[in-house]
Amino acid sequence: MKTLINHRFFITLQPNLFIMKYAVIAAGEGSRLISEGINVPKPLLDLNGEPLIDRLLRVFLDNDADEIYVVCNNISPFVCEHLSNLQINGLNHRHLPLHFTVKTTPSSMHSFFELSKWLNDSPFCLTTVDTVFLENEFSHFIHDFKYYINNRHLDGLMGVTDFIDDEKPLFVDTDNDMNITGFLDDNNNNCKFISGGIYALTPKSIQILSHCINRGVSRMRNFQRALISEKCRLKAWKFSKILDIDHAADIQKAQLFLSPNP
């Protein structure tokens, strides 16, 4: 049994009652980066000496990953080669329970669907490959998720931030207890937070995802709205800052953000 102290409350953690899975959407083309002269595939972009995908995999290992799943596109063979090498040799001399699939998809939600066949029997955490966050905050986030799931309080814990540096943010409406009441394109409700692209969910979400695909729905934000319409119990978890790497200038921003002495 562990006791976790985070910035909001005390939590006593029971031993895990489930397999902890992680998943990464790495199937985007990175067209905006390419147009700005960045020719390295986004998953392999160097962030303070570490490729984006490697950083996520390392963080997942540090947070008790039992299984890790990645979807990448078939446009760049370098990403597939990199992932194959990691499967064989591990990451920094550590065994890596990595599985990946190759599929070019029309949206991040469709990429999620390609991963969903492996995520329908256990709680999981899903991120996009360019999601940049502080590691200690992520560890608190995962610990809180395990607590809620072990005690059957929630269907999902969603990473949010009040730092807005996004061209088209998805605003997250919450009540005073951080329960999520809506996902909005416009901030007409004076929401404090935006979605950070970090989703910790139960298998219940996979059935809702399948319904979205069958109805021709696209985009992750519409899937998140479907979770609300299907009465899922979702709670927001505040990160101090979450960055996405969509433009060349974002690379330096992310490096400074993660630097121990910015």
Side-chain angles (χ1 to χ4, degrees), residues 67-86:
E67 299 176 14
I68 302 173
Y69 299 91
V70 178
V71 56
C72 60
N73 63 48
N74 55 16
I75 297 172
S76 172
F78 299 109
V79 176
C80 296
E81 292 173 7
H82 184 77
L83 293 173
S84 294
N85 181 65
L86 290 174

mmCIF file of all heavy atoms in Angstrom, residues 67-86:
data_model
loop_
_atom_site.group_PDB
_atom_site.id
_atom_site.type_symbol
_atom_site.label_atom_id
_atom_site.label_comp_id
_atom_site.label_asym_id
_atom_site.label_seq_id
_atom_site.Cartn_x
_atom_site.Cartn_y
_atom_site.Cartn_z
ATOM 1 N N GLU A 67 1.619 -2.966 -20.571
ATOM 2 C CA GLU A 67 1.598 -3.089 -22.020
ATOM 3 C C GLU A 67 1.540 -1.688 -22.628
ATOM 4 O O GLU A 67 0.894 -0.795 -22.074
ATOM 5 C CB GLU A 67 0.392 -3.911 -22.488
ATOM 6 C CG GLU A 67 0.364 -5.332 -21.975
ATOM 7 C CD GLU A 67 -0.900 -6.072 -22.388
ATOM 8 O OE1 GLU A 67 -1.617 -5.583 -23.269
ATOM 9 O OE2 GLU A 67 -1.166 -7.148 -21.811
ATOM 10 N N ILE A 68 2.211 -1.509 -23.763
ATOM 11 C CA ILE A 68 2.219 -0.219 -24.463
ATOM 12 C C ILE A 68 1.902 -0.475 -25.934
ATOM 13 O O ILE A 68 2.509 -1.360 -26.565
ATOM 14 C CB ILE A 68 3.582 0.490 -24.347
ATOM 15 C CG1 ILE A 68 3.956 0.703 -22.877
ATOM 16 C CG2 ILE A 68 3.548 1.833 -25.082
ATOM 17 C CD1 ILE A 68 5.361 1.257 -22.674
ATOM 18 N N TYR A 69 0.984 0.309 -26.479
ATOM 19 C CA TYR A 69 0.567 0.164 -27.869
ATOM 20 C C TYR A 69 0.734 1.489 -28.595
ATOM 21 O O TYR A 69 0.402 2.549 -28.047
ATOM 22 C CB TYR A 69 -0.891 -0.291 -27.939
ATOM 23 C CG TYR A 69 -1.114 -1.633 -27.283
ATOM 24 C CD1 TYR A 69 -1.472 -1.711 -25.930
ATOM 25 C CD2 TYR A 69 -0.932 -2.814 -27.994
ATOM 26 C CE1 TYR A 69 -1.652 -2.940 -25.322
ATOM 27 C CE2 TYR A 69 -1.114 -4.051 -27.385
ATOM 28 C CZ TYR A 69 -1.471 -4.104 -26.046
ATOM 29 O OH TYR A 69 -1.637 -5.324 -25.448
ATOM 30 N N VAL A 70 1.233 1.426 -29.814
ATOM 31 C CA VAL A 70 1.474 2.626 -30.618
ATOM 32 C C VAL A 70 0.895 2.400 -32.011
ATOM 33 O O VAL A 70 1.033 1.308 -32.577
ATOM 34 C CB VAL A 70 2.981 2.935 -30.737
ATOM 35 C CG1 VAL A 70 3.214 4.164 -31.628
ATOM 36 C CG2 VAL A 70 3.605 3.153 -29.361
ATOM 37 N N VAL A 71 0.263 3.423 -32.565
ATOM 38 C CA VAL A 71 -0.128 3.406 -33.965
ATOM 39 C C VAL A 71 0.672 4.489 -34.680
ATOM 40 O O VAL A 71 0.744 5.633 -34.230
ATOM 41 C CB VAL A 71 -1.647 3.616 -34.160
ATOM 42 C CG1 VAL A 71 -2.138 4.911 -33.520
ATOM 43 C CG2 VAL A 71 -2.014 3.578 -35.638
ATOM 44 N N CYS A 72 1.321 4.100 -35.777
ATOM 45 C CA CYS A 72 2.062 5.065 -36.599
ATOM 46 C C CYS A 72 1.598 4.916 -38.042
ATOM 47 O O CYS A 72 0.938 3.930 -38.406
ATOM 48 C CB CYS A 72 3.574 4.849 -36.485
ATOM 49 S SG CYS A 72 4.143 3.219 -37.005
ATOM 50 N N ASN A 73 1.931 5.896 -38.878
ATOM 51 C CA ASN A 73 1.477 5.835 -40.269
ATOM 52 C C ASN A 73 2.477 5.068 -41.132
ATOM 53 O O ASN A 73 3.581 4.736 -40.701
ATOM 54 C CB ASN A 73 1.211 7.244 -40.815
ATOM 55 C CG ASN A 73 2.464 8.099 -40.864
ATOM 56 O OD1 ASN A 73 3.510 7.680 -41.338
ATOM 57 N ND2 ASN A 73 2.354 9.339 -40.380
ATOM 58 N N ASN A 74 2.063 4.795 -42.363
ATOM 59 C CA ASN A 74 2.932 4.061 -43.289
ATOM 60 C C ASN A 74 3.655 4.986 -44.257
ATOM 61 O O ASN A 74 4.174 4.547 -45.277
ATOM 62 C CB ASN A 74 2.136 3.006 -44.064
ATOM 63 C CG ASN A 74 0.937 3.613 -44.795
ATOM 64 O OD1 ASN A 74 0.849 4.830 -44.979
ATOM 65 N ND2 ASN A 74 -0.002 2.759 -45.183
ATOM 66 N N ILE A 75 3.707 6.277 -43.893
ATOM 67 C CA ILE A 75 4.366 7.252 -44.757
ATOM 68 C C ILE A 75 5.867 7.262 -44.528
ATOM 69 O O ILE A 75 6.656 7.334 -45.466
ATOM 70 C CB ILE A 75 3.766 8.662 -44.531
ATOM 71 C CG1 ILE A 75 2.287 8.665 -44.918
ATOM 72 C CG2 ILE A 75 4.540 9.716 -45.315
ATOM 73 C CD1 ILE A 75 1.572 9.951 -44.560
ATOM 74 N N SER A 76 6.264 7.187 -43.262
ATOM 75 C CA SER A 76 7.685 7.236 -42.933
ATOM 76 C C SER A 76 8.166 5.889 -42.404
ATOM 77 O O SER A 76 7.741 5.454 -41.324
ATOM 78 C CB SER A 76 7.959 8.309 -41.874
ATOM 79 O OG SER A 76 9.301 8.233 -41.437
ATOM 80 N N PRO A 77 9.048 5.208 -43.143
ATOM 81 C CA PRO A 77 9.560 3.918 -42.661
ATOM 82 C C PRO A 77 10.485 4.064 -41.456
ATOM 83 O O PRO A 77 10.700 3.092 -40.724
ATOM 84 C CB PRO A 77 10.328 3.375 -43.871
ATOM 85 C CG PRO A 77 10.734 4.600 -44.645
ATOM 86 C CD PRO A 77 9.609 5.579 -44.460
ATOM 87 N N PHE A 78 11.006 5.282 -41.228
ATOM 88 C CA PHE A 78 11.960 5.464 -40.129
ATOM 89 C C PHE A 78 11.302 5.241 -38.769
ATOM 90 O O PHE A 78 11.937 4.704 -37.852
ATOM 91 C CB PHE A 78 12.583 6.859 -40.195
ATOM 92 C CG PHE A 78 13.349 7.111 -41.459
ATOM 93 C CD1 PHE A 78 12.856 7.980 -42.419
ATOM 94 C CD2 PHE A 78 14.553 6.468 -41.705
ATOM 95 C CE1 PHE A 78 13.555 8.206 -43.591
ATOM 96 C CE2 PHE A 78 15.259 6.695 -42.872
ATOM 97 C CZ PHE A 78 14.753 7.564 -43.824
ATOM 98 N N VAL A 79 10.048 5.651 -38.635
ATOM 99 C CA VAL A 79 9.352 5.454 -37.361
ATOM 100 C C VAL A 79 9.139 3.967 -37.107
ATOM 101 O O VAL A 79 9.378 3.469 -36.002
ATOM 102 C CB VAL A 79 8.017 6.211 -37.344
ATOM 103 C CG1 VAL A 79 7.258 5.923 -36.046
ATOM 104 C CG2 VAL A 79 8.245 7.714 -37.494
ATOM 105 N N CYS A 80 8.716 3.245 -38.123
ATOM 106 C CA CYS A 80 8.517 1.797 -37.978
ATOM 107 C C CYS A 80 9.824 1.101 -37.632
ATOM 108 O O CYS A 80 9.852 0.207 -36.767
ATOM 109 C CB CYS A 80 7.944 1.213 -39.266
ATOM 110 S SG CYS A 80 6.313 1.826 -39.697
ATOM 111 N N GLU A 81 10.905 1.495 -38.287
ATOM 112 C CA GLU A 81 12.205 0.899 -38.002
ATOM 113 C C GLU A 81 12.625 1.180 -36.560
ATOM 114 O O GLU A 81 13.156 0.305 -35.865
ATOM 115 C CB GLU A 81 13.253 1.443 -38.967
ATOM 116 C CG GLU A 81 13.060 0.992 -40.408
ATOM 117 C CD GLU A 81 14.017 1.679 -41.364
ATOM 118 O OE1 GLU A 81 14.917 2.404 -40.877
ATOM 119 O OE2 GLU A 81 13.857 1.511 -42.589
ATOM 120 N N HIS A 82 12.368 2.392 -36.124
ATOM 121 C CA HIS A 82 12.726 2.776 -34.759
ATOM 122 C C HIS A 82 11.943 1.944 -33.744
ATOM 123 O O HIS A 82 12.518 1.427 -32.769
ATOM 124 C CB HIS A 82 12.453 4.264 -34.562
ATOM 125 C CG HIS A 82 12.866 4.796 -33.235
ATOM 126 N ND1 HIS A 82 14.176 5.068 -32.903
ATOM 127 C CD2 HIS A 82 12.134 5.094 -32.116
ATOM 128 C CE1 HIS A 82 14.248 5.519 -31.666
ATOM 129 N NE2 HIS A 82 13.022 5.543 -31.160
ATOM 130 N N LEU A 83 10.649 1.796 -33.966
ATOM 131 C CA LEU A 83 9.828 1.028 -33.045
ATOM 132 C C LEU A 83 10.205 -0.450 -33.064
ATOM 133 O O LEU A 83 10.216 -1.116 -32.015
ATOM 134 C CB LEU A 83 8.344 1.211 -33.387
ATOM 135 C CG LEU A 83 7.774 2.619 -33.164
ATOM 136 C CD1 LEU A 83 6.347 2.708 -33.694
ATOM 137 C CD2 LEU A 83 7.813 2.997 -31.688
ATOM 138 N N SER A 84 10.532 -0.973 -34.242
ATOM 139 C CA SER A 84 10.969 -2.369 -34.339
ATOM 140 C C SER A 84 12.247 -2.594 -33.551
ATOM 141 O O SER A 84 12.399 -3.609 -32.853
ATOM 142 C CB SER A 84 11.181 -2.757 -35.811
ATOM 143 O OG SER A 84 9.970 -2.738 -36.526
ATOM 144 N N ASN A 85 13.166 -1.646 -33.630
ATOM 145 C CA ASN A 85 14.411 -1.752 -32.888
ATOM 146 C C ASN A 85 14.156 -1.732 -31.375
ATOM 147 O O ASN A 85 14.779 -2.483 -30.614
ATOM 148 C CB ASN A 85 15.349 -0.609 -33.285
ATOM 149 C CG ASN A 85 16.675 -0.672 -32.556
ATOM 150 O OD1 ASN A 85 17.454 -1.607 -32.734
ATOM 151 N ND2 ASN A 85 16.948 0.327 -31.736
ATOM 152 N N LEU A 86 13.221 -0.889 -30.957
ATOM 153 C CA LEU A 86 12.890 -0.827 -29.539
ATOM 154 C C LEU A 86 12.250 -2.136 -29.065
ATOM 155 O O LEU A 86 12.500 -2.583 -27.937
ATOM 156 C CB LEU A 86 11.938 0.337 -29.273
ATOM 157 C CG LEU A 86 12.523 1.751 -29.413
ATOM 158 C CD1 LEU A 86 11.425 2.793 -29.270
ATOM 159 C CD2 LEU A 86 13.617 1.993 -28.379
#
